[in-house]
Amino acid sequence: MANLPHGGLAVNQEYSEEEFRAILSKWESIRTMIEPELNSIVSRLEMAGLEGLASYIVKGGKMFRGFVTMLFAEAAGGNLDRAKDAAIAVELVQGASLALDDIIDKDAERRGGPSAWVLYGIGKSAMVSLLLVPTALKLVEQYGPLALSYSITAWESMVRGEIIDAYSSLNLEPVEYLQLASLKTGSLFSLASTLGVIAADHEEYAERAWNYGNIVGIAYQLADDITDFANYARGAKDKLDPSERLFLRWAEAELKARGEDEVIEKGVEYLNDVLKRSISSLSFLPPGPATKMIAELPWFMASKMLESANLSLSKFDQRP
């Protein structure tokens, strides 16, 4: 088993069942903290003709980003109860962004059921999604102007990324793939990390937490695109979306990949390098169980995503 040093940490590139269970247990305990209050907040947004819509938009999410917020608050020595509103704000923004993304892409399914716009209509779903963002910002206000500034920056970057993805990605140069991943996916992971340290009263960590989140977001997007491309190459997916076609052009141009198998292999190699960078960017956090879990979490997320295409971070061929 290969290990990567990070101060006092040894971070595994492959995980034992025990390590998986530890992350899953922590994740579930934090979801249990966040979910009731998240549900209470969205239930207060109910209004005539829109009953249940806000709740439907946010329900069923993995809450990875809220999990990141809480882990960063804990690692920085903060109080988890104080950080809870920051995690909820991140999840509100995530729900809004996914609902709007489904409208733009005309995706009819989300989280194992119909997308919000399919059930409630495009207009209602768009307006309630937009309402979730200022609701999130009101929660963030308590953490001060820096937290608000980062929140506005993240939302602006996400929207820019979605606009480019939806309307311009076919016209981008391959080298711009990582910039797009940073905008549309890295921004919210950056916000999740940053709000965690700000909620723990460590504003001096904010910029470095933002940079870590950006690296993790890029890794997340890479793992997602590699998985989708592998499923497409094996006939399990009908077509590539524009952003996935940009990934393919990037792999061919920047990684010099030739053929489907090499795109997957070199993509996973590059993903491994990005994950290593995420660990080296964590030196500002004090050593401890939460910091170790933050370092392991990107490997965990990427591994679980690749598994759906029978891939792993350490083996590029199909698993038996």
Side-chain angles (χ1 to χ4, degrees):
M1 183 180 292
N3 292 323
L4 294 170
H6 166 60
L9 297 175
V11 181
N12 299 319
Q13 294 185 47
E14 297 179 30
Y15 290 92
S16 67
E17 286 300 316
E18 183 179 353
E19 288 163 326
F20 271 146
R21 283 196 298 270
I23 292 175
L24 287 169
S25 176
K26 184 72 170 180
W27 176 28
E28 187 57 39
S29 69
I30 286 178
R31 283 187 66 174
T32 301
M33 287 183 66
I34 294 172
E35 206 159 23
E37 195 160 331
L38 173 63
N39 292 339
S40 175
I41 288 169
V42 294
S43 70
R44 295 199 292 269
L45 300 178
E46 302 287 353
M47 57 190 76
L50 299 172
E51 294 87 349
L53 177 50
S55 298
Y56 191 82
I57 287 172
V58 302
K59 80 171 187 177
K62 299 182 185 72
M63 298 193 186
F64 269 144
R65 293 152 188 84
F67 182 31
V68 168
T69 300
M70 298 290 269
L71 280 180
F72 264 88
E74 183 176 339
N79 181 287
L80 289 186
D81 282 335
R82 171 165 161 71
K84 188 163 54 176
D85 279 352
I88 291 169
V90 169
E91 289 301 323
L92 288 171
V93 173
Q94 168 70 352
S97 69
L98 292 179
L100 292 170
D101 191 42
D102 287 342
I103 292 170
I104 293 167
D105 293 341
K106 297 182 174 61
D107 287 334
E109 292 186 6
R110 170 67 65 184
R111 296 169 175 169
S115 297
W117 69 269
V118 173
L119 290 181
Y120 292 90
I122 290 175
K124 291 179 180 179
S125 297
M127 294 306 295
V128 172
S129 297
L130 293 174
L131 181 61
L132 293 179
V133 179
T135 302
L137 292 176
K138 285 184 177 181
L139 291 173
V140 170
E141 276 183 322
Q142 65 189 282
Y143 304 108
L146 188 65
L148 271 175
S149 177
Y150 274 112
S151 299
I152 293 166
T153 297
W155 181 246
E156 179 189 12
S157 297
M158 288 169 62
V159 173
R160 285 181 181 274
E162 289 297 339
I163 291 170
I164 294 168
D165 186 23
Y167 303 113
S168 305
S169 58
L170 293 177
N171 299 320
L172 294 180
E173 294 298 320
V175 72
E176 295 177 276
Y177 166 73
L178 294 178
Q179 181 182 358
L180 177 58
S182 173
L183 286 171
K184 74 174 189 174
T185 309
S187 299
L188 194 52
F189 276 104
S190 289
L191 181 62
S193 307
T194 304
L195 288 183
V197 296
I198 292 175
D201 296 319
H202 280 286
E203 290 190 350
E204 72 275 16
Y205 293 162
E207 191 64 22
R208 285 173 289 179
W210 180 274
N211 291 337
Y212 164 86
N214 185 59
I215 296 169
V216 172
I218 290 172
Y220 191 93
Q221 188 62 53
L222 271 166
D224 189 38
D225 289 337
I226 291 166
T227 299
D228 284 339
F229 180 79
N231 285 327
Y232 167 77
R234 294 166 184 168
K237 180 179 168 70
D238 292 336
K239 64 179 182 178
L240 295 176
D241 294 335
S243 60
E244 293 157 3
R245 285 151 67 185
L246 178 62
F247 159 75
L248 173 59
R249 292 195 289 123
W250 169 79
E252 292 171 340
E254 300 298 318
L255 305 183
K256 310 302 180 188
R258 297 294 177 264
E260 292 174 343
D261 289 343
E262 202 167 272
V263 167
I264 296 168
E265 177 176 340
K266 291 193 172 184
V268 173
E269 287 177 346
Y270 191 89
L271 173 58
N272 270 287
D273 290 340
V274 174
L275 290 169
K276 291 173 186 176
R277 292 205 302 274
S278 76
I279 295 166
S280 65
S281 71
L282 280 174
S283 58
F284 67 95
L285 285 176
T291 299
K292 186 174 188 296
M293 196 166 284
I294 289 169
E296 290 175 339
L297 185 62
W299 299 87
F300 169 77
M301 290 191 297
S303 294
K304 299 304 286 183
M305 292 173 75
L306 292 176
E307 278 180 7
S308 66
N310 294 315
L311 298 169
S312 80
L313 289 166
S314 59
K315 293 190 296 185
F316 309 127
D317 57 329
Q318 186 167 349
R319 288 180 175 181

